[in-house]
Amino acid sequence: MSAQKDRWVFSFSFLLFCASSIPTRGSVRLLQELSPQEYFSSLQAGRASLAYFSHNVSPGAQPFLEQIENSAEALQDYGISVVKVNCPKEDVSRYCGKENALRKAYLFRGNMLIREFPTDALFDVNSIVANVLFALLFNEVKYVETLADLQNIENALKGRSNMVFAYVPATGTAEHRAVMEAAFAYGTVHQFVLTTEATLLKDTGNDESDVSSARLLFCHCQQATDLAEPCRRTAMGQTLTMLNIHRHLKLMGAPLVTEVAEDPEKVSTVHLQLGLPLVFILSQKETYEADRRTAEFVAWQLLGKAGVALLSRDLVDLNILLRSNVALKTPDEGVPIKYLVLEDTDEVITLVEDKNKIEQIQEDEEEDEEDEDEKENNNQDIQDDQVVEAVSRDKKRELPLEQILVLTEETFHSALLETARTVVLFYASWEAVSLAVLRSYTEVADHLKGTRGVLLSRVDCWDWPGVCTKENVTQLPTIKIYEKGERSVVYNGMWGIEELTSFIMLSRVSCPLKLATIDEAEGYLRGEFPSELSSYHHTSLLGVFSTATSEAREAFEEAGNILSGHVTMGMYFEDDALALSRKYAVSPPALLLARSGGRSVEGIALSKQSAQDMVRMIRYESLDIFPEITVQNLPRYLQFGKPFLVLFSDGDISQMESKEMLKLAKGRPQQAFVACWLNLRKTPVGRGVLKAYFATMPSLPVLVWVNLHAGGQVFKFPSEQSITEMNILSWLEKLKAGLEIPSSTLSEEDWKPPLPAYDFLQMMETAVPELPLHTSHRRGDTPERHPPESPGGDTAVREEPSQETKAEKVGSPGRDLRGTAPRLAAREKQGKRHSKL
């Protein structure tokens, strides 16, 4: 049955119920005229009657008798008869004998007198019906004068029944009659409370300043259990008529939120039957609990104005836009359901309260679609942000997110406890950089598929701001690794797939890893132990401590916790630690640093250093002596502020060149510059660098000296000379003496990003501050290496406190639409502004 048909059937039935309360002129005379004897003998137990005793009808009583006669039909609907008792002249009984008794009307139940009414109080049909029903329902309808009386009734009803509280400026009015008629019909379901005290209406929190109009509040006491809190109240917005009260109580009795598992076009609820719209909150399985709370919040705000239903996309196949999160169904026949994209619950409420808002939202969506189409047709080259360009270009490519668990406010903490290590990506699904990182993250998840003890997950901070606030996420995107939901490590490295994968895999191993035997320690230096890291290229650092070096050992352990995920650190402090340290010509406490699978082991003495000093020293010592420069590792070397000696090569450098450059890097002059090489095939941006250095592209390989931090002069090693340690040292001496002419000089203009938001190098420098001076002692004739000195601590990896020690919980607002496409409208708007930041 259609909603329109249901509404007609309901309205017709209700009109039949109420039709008898409408006086009809020309109907059969219902006012009985009896003698006193006939009247009292006709009284029946339990039946009510209203009687007026009179010797003869004076002209002044004629209007009253007309009103009594007009009310007879209305009172008959409630089983109340109306009688005019004609008193004989000689009758001097209680009701006929006294003059003042003849100016009153009497209400009997059986032969028991219930109430006497002065005739001037019964001035029309409304006053007669209202006062008579009020008297009969005296025990069912409580009259209160003070707030304390009202609160006592509320407290008695909490957890048991609901209350209908009505304020009328005076008794005997049409509104009073409507309340009494409603109480007669619903008094067994709800507790009715009446007052005429205007101050009591204000005490209940009613915002209306006009107390000349009647008010009705439905108090939801059945759901309340706390005696200290008042019952939630829903005011009736319409005037107090029997029809409106019946309609309001019908709405209050309907389910707060209806869960729908069928086509919305076929859904019919009491709200639609009563001519009100129905709002659908679109949900999905992953966000059901939050969407349910959102729907309940909206339902309370719209109670009495519209119905709210929760529609699951998982159960109903809807041919609508994925970004739609709200639907509106009106009671009008033939009007299609409108699917909309709204930002928050305030817009949903405005949508219902302001009908013009629907047209405005639809116009905005059409404009957005036109803008999107226009943007699609534009040349992608005009994008000023390469990240936005890449995301925009590939936005229609669906990401394989099956391997990444979606976490919500409800599932976050339980998920952290289920796996030994949980990797969490905190991101915003409308923001370009977040989407670019999410793309890399999916490839990492595919690469680590099946890895035991590692779970990859994600939290959309746009949907769950409370989770991200509690986890101290201050920038997006952010990656954290949690160990059994307790200690967490923040990743501050590059967003490449290789870097992310390495960080996650290194985080699986304890840092530092405690080794039990010399064989384990030797295997660790060779990269064979632990076995899960044998396939990853990394530098192994082994701390060797005696029983007398506990302070240095504790600092080393703390440094390992900070550097977890970035380096592999082992620790050996058994009784034979001295034998191991002697093998590498160092004394405990010492650091053994193994490169290239243990083929080269360097011994470094550890002094009484703090954990932060050790972190900076370990970071510096972990760097390659003669590194291949890439986009990813360039910031690590730029931070030293040294000149660069770069060998540019079209592919891998020759073994002879590598050997000579490595000898140079290990030599004494290496303290003054960074010796490195750049493979133009792997890092094609190097070609642009060479074009900035020289007018024409030089022949490769080419060795270049450039000081980016002072002067910007670029010197080219003579191409006719072979690249050997001696030739290079000789050339460097000429540079120092000023005997060489620079090939070019870079502009003194700062190479700054167009806006601060794009200064990614500065962000990395903030995350990884410069390193302090220290003294290292190597085996044999290996000279010293001195990193530059810088105050302050290392913050590249921050260890987060456990869940129990974090700041108090910050709850989410609960008003964001978090369904299938939560707040997509806002994301698109912000995304469009990204290029204008």
Side-chain angles (χ1 to χ4, degrees):
M1 184 181 291
S2 67
Q4 183 75 10
K5 188 174 181 181
D6 288 344
R7 193 160 63 254
W8 275 109
V9 171
F10 173 81
S11 301
F12 182 70
S13 302
F14 183 69
L15 288 174
L16 287 178
F17 170 77
C18 298
S20 58
S21 64
I22 303 175
T24 306
R25 294 185 179 275
S27 59
V28 178
R29 182 179 175 85
L30 296 176
L31 178 64
Q32 304 178 53
E33 294 194 24
L34 303 173
S35 65
Q37 184 178 0
E38 290 172 338
Y39 173 67
F40 286 110
S41 62
S42 67
L43 296 178
Q44 301 177 18
R47 286 187 61 86
S49 62
L50 179 66
Y52 172 69
F53 294 84
S54 174
H55 284 291
N56 48 38
V57 179
S58 62
Q62 188 62 39
F64 167 72
L65 287 177
E66 290 178 1
Q67 297 301 324
I68 282 287
E69 184 173 359
N70 291 338
S71 67
E73 184 176 6
L75 291 175
Q76 188 181 50
D77 293 331
Y78 301 104
I80 304 169
S81 59
V82 180
V83 181
K84 177 178 177 292
V85 181
N86 297 316
C87 297
K89 292 182 179 180
E90 65 277 5
D91 192 341
V92 292
S93 63
R94 173 184 176 184
Y95 299 104
C96 292
K98 296 182 179 180
E99 182 63 26
N100 61 346
L102 301 178
R103 298 177 182 173
K104 297 180 180 180
Y106 299 88
L107 180 62
F108 291 89
R109 180 181 278 129
N111 58 5
M112 181 181 298
L113 178 63
I114 300 298
R115 182 72 57 84
E116 299 177 4
F117 298 105
T119 55
D120 57 359
L122 307 178
F123 48 86
D124 62 7
V125 174
N126 288 330
S127 62
I128 294 171
V129 175
N131 283 300
V132 169
L133 291 179
F134 194 19
L136 289 176
L137 300 175
F138 184 77
N139 293 324
E140 287 79 8
V141 180
K142 306 293 185 182
Y143 183 83
V144 294
E145 296 180 341
T146 66
L147 183 61
D149 293 338
L150 180 63
Q151 290 174 343
N152 290 336
I153 296 174
E154 273 195 356
N155 291 335
L157 292 174
K158 285 179 179 177
R160 298 192 301 109
S161 179
N162 296 318
M163 179 177 74
V164 180
F165 173 65
Y167 160 77
V168 293
T171 58
T173 59
E175 293 84 0
H176 184 204
R177 173 185 174 180
V179 173
M180 289 303 107
E181 288 179 322
F184 190 91
Y186 294 97
T188 57
V189 181
H190 309 300
Q191 174 65 61
F192 279 73
V193 177
L194 181 71
T195 188
T196 56
E197 301 294 331
T199 55
L200 184 55
L201 179 66
K202 295 179 180 179
D203 290 339
T204 59
N206 191 283
D207 296 332
E208 296 288 342
S209 58
D210 182 16
V211 294
S212 62
S213 302
R215 300 279 187 274
L216 185 138
L217 303 174
F218 187 89
C219 305
H220 306 266
C221 297
Q222 194 168 14
Q223 300 179 5
T225 55
D226 187 358
L227 295 179
E229 295 293 329
C231 300
R232 187 191 289 262
R233 300 183 176 100
T234 303
M236 188 179 79
Q238 295 77 27
T239 57
L240 261 66
T241 65
M242 178 58 191
L243 184 61
N244 286 339
I245 296 175
H246 169 79
R247 181 174 178 270
H248 190 66
L249 296 181
K250 195 77 174 175
L251 293 172
M252 296 303 103
L256 183 64
V257 175
T258 304
E259 296 203 17
V260 177
E262 60 177 328
D263 186 352
E265 294 286 358
K266 300 178 181 179
V267 174
S268 177
T269 66
V270 66
H271 306 87
L272 293 170
Q273 297 165 13
L274 292 175
L276 295 179
L278 180 63
V279 176
F280 294 91
I281 303 295
L282 305 187
S283 177
Q284 60 184 6
K285 180 174 62 177
E286 295 170 342
T287 58
Y288 169 79
E289 292 298 331
D291 294 332
R292 174 80 191 186
R293 290 198 303 272
T294 299
E296 289 176 354
F297 174 82
V298 172
W300 279 115
Q301 302 301 308
L302 295 178
L303 197 57
K305 302 174 184 177
V308 176
L310 190 63
L311 176 61
S312 175
R313 290 177 177 266
D314 302 317
L315 301 177
V316 182
D317 185 16
L318 298 174
N319 186 22
I320 61 173
L321 294 174
L322 183 63
R323 62 179 183 168
S324 299
N325 53 13
V326 172
L328 182 69
K329 183 176 184 179
T330 62
D332 303 317
E333 186 72 23
V335 177
I337 294 178
K338 297 177 177 64
Y339 292 91
L340 307 167
V341 180
L342 303 184
E343 295 184 28
D344 52 38
T345 54
D346 290 338
E347 283 201 356
V348 181
I349 297 166
T350 304
L351 182 70
V352 172
E353 296 177 346
D354 184 3
K355 294 183 179 179
N356 296 328
K357 186 70 175 177
I358 303 177
E359 298 178 1
Q360 180 183 342
I361 291 175
Q362 288 181 321
E363 289 176 1
D364 292 343
E365 289 184 1
E366 290 174 359
E367 290 178 3
D368 289 344
E369 290 176 2
E370 291 175 1
D371 292 343
E372 193 67 26
D373 293 340
E374 184 179 348
K375 186 177 179 181
E376 285 289 331
N377 296 329
N378 287 340
N379 191 328
Q380 292 289 344
D381 293 339
I382 65 173
Q383 292 277 5
D384 64 347
D385 185 333
Q386 294 180 1
V387 177
V388 174
E389 177 187 348
V391 172
S392 176
R393 183 176 60 246
D394 298 337
K395 67 180 180 180
K396 293 185 179 179
R397 190 183 79 181
E398 194 166 338
L399 296 177
L401 301 173
E402 299 81 11
Q403 305 296 330
I404 304 174
L405 179 66
V406 176
L407 299 184
T408 67
E409 198 168 24
E410 289 74 25
T411 61
F412 183 81
H413 296 294
S414 59
L416 298 186
L417 299 174
E418 292 176 359
T419 312
R421 280 173 178 79
T422 305
V423 186
V424 184
L425 169 64
F426 297 92
Y427 71 107
S429 54
W430 58 265
E431 193 260 334
V433 177
S434 289
L435 294 178
V437 172
L438 181 61
R439 192 166 300 162
S440 297
Y441 196 59
T442 58
E443 297 188 40
V444 173
D446 184 65
H447 185 77
L448 297 179
K449 182 179 179 181
T451 303
R452 295 182 59 185
V454 176
L455 171 68
L456 267 67
S457 60
R458 57 190 170 102
V459 174
D460 191 342
C461 293
W462 196 251
D463 291 343
W464 311 105
V467 175
C468 300
T469 301
K470 182 181 177 184
E471 297 306 311
N472 197 29
V473 176
T474 57
Q475 62 183 23
L476 297 176
T478 291
I479 287 181
K480 289 189 177 186
I481 295 184
Y482 294 82
E483 294 184 12
K484 278 295 183 182
E486 296 178 355
R487 189 178 71 90
S488 66
V489 176
V490 181
Y491 176 67
N492 276 319
M494 300 296 289
W495 294 116
I497 300 168
E498 182 180 345
E499 290 80 9
L500 281 172
T501 304
S502 175
F503 177 75
I504 294 169
M505 292 302 295
L506 292 181
S507 297
R508 296 179 64 200
V509 179
S510 299
C511 188
L513 179 66
K514 296 178 181 178
L515 305 171
T517 65
I518 287 186
D519 289 340
E520 282 188 359
E522 294 283 7
Y524 173 80
L525 291 174
R526 291 192 299 270
E528 301 169 358
F529 183 83
S531 57
E532 55 262 42
L533 298 183
S534 58
S535 60
Y536 286 86
H537 170 72
H538 59 275
T539 299
S540 299
L541 298 107
L542 177 63
V544 182
F545 304 93
S546 64
T547 54
T549 57
S550 58
E551 184 178 346
R553 188 180 72 191
E554 291 173 0
F556 186 79
E557 288 186 79
E558 187 177 344
N561 290 333
I562 296 173
L563 293 172
S564 177
H566 289 272
V567 298
T568 55
M569 294 171 59
M571 185 168 63
Y572 190 72
F573 54 92
E574 300 299 326
D575 294 338
D576 52 356
L578 190 59
L580 180 64
S581 61
R582 284 175 179 170
K583 180 178 179 181
Y584 296 99
V586 289
S587 299
L591 178 68
L592 300 181
L593 191 146
R595 307 178 193 273
S596 305
R599 290 194 298 271
S600 171
V601 178
E602 302 167 8
I604 306 170
L606 294 176
S607 59
K608 291 184 178 180
Q609 296 173 312
S610 66
Q612 289 296 334
D613 291 336
M614 283 196 181
V615 166
R616 288 188 287 271
M617 181 268 292
I618 290 171
R619 280 192 173 278
Y620 178 76
E621 295 295 346
S622 300
L623 296 175
D624 290 335
I625 298 174
F626 178 57
E628 177 188 355
I629 292 297
T630 64
V631 174
Q632 288 81 2
N633 66 13
L634 177 61
R636 302 177 194 169
Y637 297 94
L638 279 176
Q639 65 181 332
F640 300 142
K642 297 179 180 182
F644 273 61
L645 181 63
V646 190
L647 177 61
F648 289 87
S649 173
D650 187 19
D652 292 333
I653 59 177
S654 67
Q655 186 174 359
M656 186 273 291
E657 292 169 340
S658 176
K659 180 180 178 181
E660 293 295 324
M661 290 295 294
L662 189 59
K663 286 166 56 180
L664 176 72
K666 289 182 177 181
R668 179 172 294 276
Q670 65 85 32
Q671 301 176 33
F673 58 87
V674 174
C676 56
W677 69 286
L678 192 147
N679 187 338
L680 295 181
R681 293 186 181 180
K682 286 185 179 180
T683 312
V685 71
R687 297 185 182 276
V689 173
L690 288 176
K691 288 180 182 179
Y693 289 170
F694 308 105
T696 59
M697 187 72 178
S699 59
L700 301 176
V702 60
L703 185 64
V704 175
W705 170 280
V706 58
N707 192 345
L708 298 173
H709 304 279
Q713 292 181 330
V714 179
F715 294 90
K716 178 184 172 185
F717 182 75
S719 57
E720 65 273 9
Q721 296 185 28
S722 60
I723 298 176
T724 64
E725 180 187 12
M726 294 304 298
N727 287 341
I728 296 173
L729 287 176
S730 175
W731 178 62
L732 292 178
E733 287 295 331
K734 292 181 181 180
L735 292 183
K736 186 177 179 181
L739 301 178
E740 291 285 331
I741 300 175
S743 300
S744 64
T745 302
L746 302 178
S747 171
E748 294 183 0
E749 182 182 355
D750 290 338
W751 291 2
K752 291 183 177 179
L755 291 169
Y758 292 86
D759 194 355
F760 301 114
L761 289 178
Q762 178 60 37
M763 296 177 189
M764 296 188 67
E765 289 173 4
T766 303
V768 186
E770 293 183 354
L771 308 174
L773 283 169
H774 79 284
T775 303
S776 62
H777 303 280
R778 303 175 187 272
R779 188 180 181 186
D781 297 331
T782 306
E784 301 175 346
R785 295 175 65 197
H786 300 277
E789 185 174 358
S790 173
D794 188 296
T795 58
V797 178
R798 301 191 304 274
E799 183 179 341
E800 299 291 329
S802 65
Q803 301 298 325
E804 291 76 9
T805 60
K806 287 187 178 180
E808 62 178 349
K809 181 177 181 181
V810 180
S812 62
R815 299 192 181 187
D816 297 331
L817 296 178
R818 303 170 175 165
T820 305
R823 305 208 298 188
L824 271 174
R827 300 177 193 178
E828 291 191 351
K829 292 174 184 176
Q830 298 223 27
K832 290 177 181 178
R833 292 195 299 267
H834 188 274
S835 61
K836 303 177 184 178
L837 286 176

